[in-house]
């Protein structure tokens, strides 16, 4: 075979992930479209999960069946175009089941819904393998046998007319979609760049304040406004609705109910409230853990609920609302509630002194469930009951400047409140000084700054306090909290009044230094373990400033 002629491989030897082109037997590399495929496949899988759970509740809803068919059909088409033949073939067989249902050749049953749910789980496993560049080696034979058995139950053969596709009008002109899909890390990198611009802008303001020409100062001012506009645009782009996080929760609750013999209704309110994607990433695992605890240990079995005179179906409600510069997420259930006396016993066993327990109000006692090793579970399950988890929940919420609160009544239920910032990257802060050192406080937590005469401060049983608008305001000294040496007594004390939802507290500082927009960077280990510190920013002159978490020190 002279002339150096190349022998091209046979099309059947194409690896998965390459698309075959009929002639002249070439293969197109589709790896550049992989990220988009993964993103769209995930959206369809979430849609499948939601539609199946709705269909389980209303089996006669034909619109749900049509929606499911479209989701499976879309995954099949995308997988085929990318060269993932095993995924396309598997999706096609699940699509056949739905086609038979919607054409009334078979009747929808719980068995069919369960099969489709297991099928969607298998598809998700396929997609995970594609994401991790692993061979698509999943044994689907058992599930496909069940699928074929279901389809073989057809009650009538489809007529020829039902097979005819309706003609579609050709588009009159070309057009581009108005929405672009961008990977989240692009916005993360962009936010980091905007943060650096804030730091550079602050330095330029420092220079401009040193008697530079008016034109230069005006240019710096204009640059500052432009950076603020850019920051607002990036934050807006990163804001996503809370419901994007909760799409898989109904499925998680359903599966746990199946395993535990429970019957639970999950209600989500305020899912359209938007917040920073980075915030949602931090509360993903905490939210799942809270829901699992509620199903496993909060909600009673139907028989137990019936004996207690409750509705046999338990209820878990997730309510999301915006409050000033914060987002409130309330997760409540109508289950057993927390037994305070039993919690005290567990806390004693974990090493909490009895004197401290006796002095604690109920709200503080309830937070003891966040101590490592403290668990009120009657039994250990696959997902909870080992005394780990709620401490991680609390730490995750604290790491983003949030706050966790628990409210519970025995035999009535439990409510867990997460107070979260809208965004964690750039925020308005109040600068305060302790000698030469500067510290920052989130402005969203600050109610007022006041100068208080030392004689107006009274000693209390636990903390000193003063009266503000006829309300007692307990005080802590920031120097004492940070273990800095005390200074000489002064007649007037600068105090930052912090609003912690249901009460006011005061932080004594040396002086107030003004407000700034700060780019907050998270702390790395081991600094992340510092009590009461949740981040750091850099001033225009290069000085680092730690961000104080007020609820943690009060």
């Amino acid at each position: 075979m002279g002339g150096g002629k190349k022998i091209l491989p046979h099309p059947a030897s194409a690896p998965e992930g390459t698309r075959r082109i009929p002639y002249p037997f070439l293969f197109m590399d589709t790896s550049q479209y992989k990220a988009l495929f993964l993103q769209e496949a995930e959206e369809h899988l979430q849609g499948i999960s939601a539609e199946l759970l709705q269909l389980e509740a209303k089996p006669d809803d034909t619109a749900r069946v049509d929606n499911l068919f479209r989701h499976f059909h879309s995954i099949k088409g995308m997988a085929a175009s990318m060269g993932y033949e095993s995924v396309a073939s598997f999706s096609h067989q699940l699509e056949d089941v739905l086609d038979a249902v919607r054409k009334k050749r078979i009747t929808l049953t719980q068995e069919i819904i369960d099969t489709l749910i297991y099928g969607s789980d298998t598809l998700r496993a396929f997609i995970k393998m594609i994401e991790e560049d692993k061979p698509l080696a999943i044994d689907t034979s058992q599930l496909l046998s069940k699928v074929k058995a279901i389809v073989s139950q057809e009650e009538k053969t489809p007529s020829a007319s039902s097979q005819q596709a309706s003609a579609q009008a050709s588009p009159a002109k070309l057009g581009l979609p108005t929405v672009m899909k961008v990977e989240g890390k692009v916005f993360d990198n962009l936010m980091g760049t905007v943060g650096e611009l804030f730091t550079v802008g602050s330095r330029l303001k420092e220079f401009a304040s040193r008697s530079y020409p008016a034109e230069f100062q005006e240019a710096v001012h204009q640059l500052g406004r432009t950076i603020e506009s850019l920051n607002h645009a990036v934050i807006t782009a990163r804001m996503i609705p809370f419901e994007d996080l909760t799409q898989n929760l109904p499925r998680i609750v359903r599966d746990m109910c199946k395993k535990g013999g429970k019957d639970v209704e999950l209600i989500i309110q305020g899912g359209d409230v938007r917040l920073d994607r980075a915030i949602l990433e931090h509360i993903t695992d905490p939210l799942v853990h809270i829901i699992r605890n509620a199903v496993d240990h909060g909600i009673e079995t139907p028989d137990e609920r019936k004996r207690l005179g409750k509705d046999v179906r338990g209820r878990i409600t997730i309510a999301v609302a915006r409050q000033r510069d914060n987002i409130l997420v309330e997760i409540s259930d109508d289950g057993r509630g927390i037994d305070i006396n039993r919690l005290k016993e567990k806390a004693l066993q974990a090493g909490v002194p009895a004197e401290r327990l006796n002095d604690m109000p109920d709200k503080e006692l309830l937070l003891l469930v966040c101590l490592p090793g403290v668990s009120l579970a009657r039994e250990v399950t696959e997902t909870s009951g080992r005394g780990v988890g709620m401490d991680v929940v609390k730490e995750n919420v604290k790491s983003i400047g949030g706050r966790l609160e628990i409210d519970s009544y025995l035999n009535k239920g439990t409510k867990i409140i997460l107070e979260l910032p809208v965004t964690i990257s750039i925020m308005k802060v109040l600068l305060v000084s302790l000698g030469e050192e500067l510290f920052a406080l989130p402005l969203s937590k600050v109610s007022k700054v006041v100068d208080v005469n030392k004689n107006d401060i009274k000693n209390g049983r636990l903390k000193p306090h003063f009266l503000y608008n006829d309300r007692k305001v307990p005080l802590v000294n920031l120097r004492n909290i940070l273990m800095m040496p005390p200074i000489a007594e002064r007649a007037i004390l600068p105090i930052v009044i912090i609003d912690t939802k249901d009460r006011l507290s005061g932080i004594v500082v040396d002086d107030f230094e003004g407000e700034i927009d700060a780019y907050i960077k998270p702390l790395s280990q081991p600094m992340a373990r510092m009590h009461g510190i949740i981040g750091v920013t850099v001033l225009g002159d290069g000085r680092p400033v730690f961000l104080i978490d007020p609820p943690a020190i009060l």
Side-chain angles (χ1 to χ4, degrees):
M1 294 195 295
K5 184 178 179 180
K6 295 182 179 178
I7 299 176
L8 296 171
H10 189 274
S13 65
E16 291 215 65
T18 57
R19 183 181 175 189
R20 188 170 67 198
I21 297 181
Y23 184 82
F25 299 151
L26 297 177
F27 299 99
M28 182 177 73
D29 181 13
T30 57
S31 60
Q32 59 182 316
Y33 306 111
K34 179 179 171 182
L36 184 60
F37 167 78
L38 292 171
Q39 183 182 17
E40 294 196 356
E42 178 61 28
E43 290 175 4
H44 285 297
L45 286 170
Q46 288 181 352
I48 288 170
S49 179
E51 296 289 355
L52 281 171
L53 294 178
Q54 293 291 333
L55 191 62
E56 191 172 39
K58 296 181 179 179
D60 58 345
D61 192 337
T62 56
R64 301 284 180 195
V65 176
D66 290 338
N67 290 343
L68 281 166
F69 180 86
R70 282 192 287 270
H71 282 305
F72 280 109
H73 183 76
S74 296
I75 291 177
K76 179 187 76 173
M78 292 190 308
S81 66
M82 290 288 292
Y84 303 125
E85 297 298 339
S86 53
V87 179
S89 174
F90 185 75
S91 302
H92 179 67
Q93 306 222 38
L94 295 175
E95 181 187 52
D96 284 346
V97 175
L98 288 161
D99 191 44
V101 171
R102 69 179 188 154
K103 291 179 179 176
K104 303 191 182 307
R105 299 200 297 267
I106 58 176
T107 303
L108 185 67
T109 63
Q110 184 62 47
E111 180 191 10
I112 292 176
I113 291 175
D114 287 341
T115 301
L116 291 171
I117 287 175
Y118 297 143
S120 68
D121 288 344
T122 303
L123 277 177
R124 190 175 292 278
F126 271 126
I127 299 304
K128 184 69 174 174
M129 287 178 168
I130 292 171
E131 184 179 8
E132 296 174 351
D133 293 321
K134 293 180 178 178
L136 303 185
I138 297 179
D139 182 8
T140 59
S141 57
Q142 189 174 355
L143 186 56
L144 289 180
S145 295
K146 184 176 287 189
V147 168
K148 289 174 183 176
I150 289 171
V151 175
S152 67
Q153 298 170 9
E154 292 186 9
E155 296 166 358
K156 57 181 180 177
T157 305
S159 63
S161 60
S162 68
Q163 303 295 329
Q164 297 175 354
S166 60
Q168 295 182 352
S170 300
K173 58 182 181 179
L174 296 178
L176 290 171
T178 56
V179 177
M180 292 178 61
K181 293 184 177 180
V182 183
E183 288 188 59
K185 65 182 180 182
V186 173
F187 287 114
D188 294 341
N189 294 337
L190 189 54
M191 179 57 79
T193 302
V194 172
E196 297 301 330
L197 281 174
F198 260 94
T199 302
V200 173
S202 296
R203 295 189 68 181
L204 284 174
K205 286 179 183 178
E206 288 277 335
F207 292 140
S209 64
R210 300 172 188 169
S211 302
Y212 274 81
E215 293 84 355
F216 179 72
Q217 294 188 23
E218 175 58 31
V220 170
H221 182 64
Q222 180 62 40
L223 175 63
R225 287 206 303 261
T226 303
I227 293 173
E228 286 180 7
S229 297
L230 178 60
N231 171 53
H232 178 74
V234 174
I235 287 179
T236 301
R238 275 169 48 121
M239 302 285 269
I240 57 177
F242 188 84
E243 63 190 3
D244 283 10
L245 176 66
T246 61
Q247 286 179 346
N248 288 333
L249 275 182
R251 172 65 191 280
I252 292 172
V253 170
R254 175 198 180 273
D255 290 351
M256 292 189 69
C257 288
K258 288 272 186 182
K259 286 182 180 178
K262 305 283 183 77
D263 186 7
V264 179
E265 177 186 17
L266 177 66
I267 299 172
I268 300 174
Q269 302 169 344
D272 57 342
V273 174
R274 291 177 171 265
L275 62 166
D276 194 331
R277 176 176 166 273
I279 298 287
L280 290 178
E281 286 177 342
H282 274 81
I283 67 167
T284 300
D285 291 340
L287 186 60
V288 170
H289 184 83
I290 292 169
I291 294 297
R292 282 176 170 165
N293 267 357
V295 176
D296 263 350
H297 311 301
I299 301 294
E300 308 92 340
T301 62
D303 288 343
E304 189 179 349
R305 291 179 67 86
K306 190 173 183 180
R307 286 197 303 271
L308 293 169
K310 295 183 177 182
D311 191 324
V312 292
R313 191 176 203 195
R315 175 176 291 184
I316 297 174
T317 303
I318 302 175
V320 188
R322 181 155 184 169
Q323 187 181 77
R324 292 176 59 189
D325 292 330
N326 293 315
I327 300 293
L328 290 183
V329 181
E330 296 184 353
I331 306 105
S332 57
D333 68 68
D334 63 349
R336 297 186 178 96
I338 296 175
D339 186 336
I340 292 287
N341 293 325
R342 191 156 172 265
L343 178 57
K344 284 183 177 181
E345 292 175 9
K346 293 288 185 178
L348 273 171
Q349 294 171 13
V352 179
E355 313 82 61
R356 184 183 165 201
L357 290 173
N358 293 332
D359 288 336
M360 281 184 179
D362 283 356
K363 280 191 178 295
E364 204 171 329
L365 279 169
L366 288 168
L367 286 174
L368 292 176
V369 299
C370 299
L371 285 178
V374 173
S375 174
L376 300 179
R378 291 175 170 81
E379 59 181 326
V380 174
T381 70
E382 292 179 14
T383 54
S384 56
R386 294 175 175 82
V388 295
M390 281 305 294
D391 57 327
V392 178
V393 169
K394 187 178 179 183
E395 286 304 313
N396 271 29
V397 172
K398 277 179 59 181
S399 71
I400 53 175
R403 186 177 63 88
L404 181 144
E405 182 181 318
I406 301 175
D407 196 10
S408 185
Y409 296 94
L410 192 61
N411 294 324
K412 291 185 177 179
T414 299
K415 179 189 290 184
I416 295 179
I417 303 168
L418 308 180
E419 185 179 314
L420 309 168
V422 177
T423 182
I424 56 174
S425 298
I426 295 173
M427 65 173 67
K428 292 187 179 295
V429 299
L430 171 68
L431 292 179
V432 298
S433 60
L434 298 180
E436 297 296 320
E437 299 294 331
L438 292 180
F439 296 89
L441 294 164
L443 205 58
S444 61
K445 306 285 187 186
V446 176
S447 175
K448 199 173 183 64
V449 294
V450 293
D451 288 320
V452 178
N453 192 298
K454 184 178 180 297
N455 295 328
D456 293 332
I457 296 176
K458 311 298 181 185
N459 289 322
R461 188 168 67 92
L462 297 175
K463 295 177 181 177
H465 65 269
F466 74 101
L467 289 178
Y468 174 74
N469 291 342
D470 296 326
R471 295 175 64 182
K472 278 187 179 180
V473 180
L475 295 173
V476 296
N477 192 308
L478 191 56
R479 280 186 170 271
N480 296 341
I481 297 293
L482 300 177
M483 292 184 287
M484 296 178 67
I487 58 173
E489 288 193 5
R490 297 170 293 170
I492 302 296
L493 298 178
I495 294 174
V496 182
I497 298 179
I498 301 295
D499 185 355
T500 52
K501 193 180 179 183
D502 55 348
R503 64 189 176 94
L504 297 178
S505 300
I507 301 175
V508 180
V509 299
D510 288 4
D511 208 351
F512 312 122
E513 303 294 339
E515 302 171 10
I516 64 167
D517 289 312
Y519 171 53
I520 306 299
K521 296 181 180 180
L523 295 172
S524 56
Q525 296 292 353
M527 297 180 71
R529 298 175 185 170
M530 290 193 300
H531 175 67
I533 307 292
I534 54 174
V536 64
T537 187
V538 179
L539 298 183
D541 58 6
R543 282 187 293 171
V545 175
F546 287 115
L547 179 67
I548 304 292
D549 179 23
I553 66 173
L554 293 173

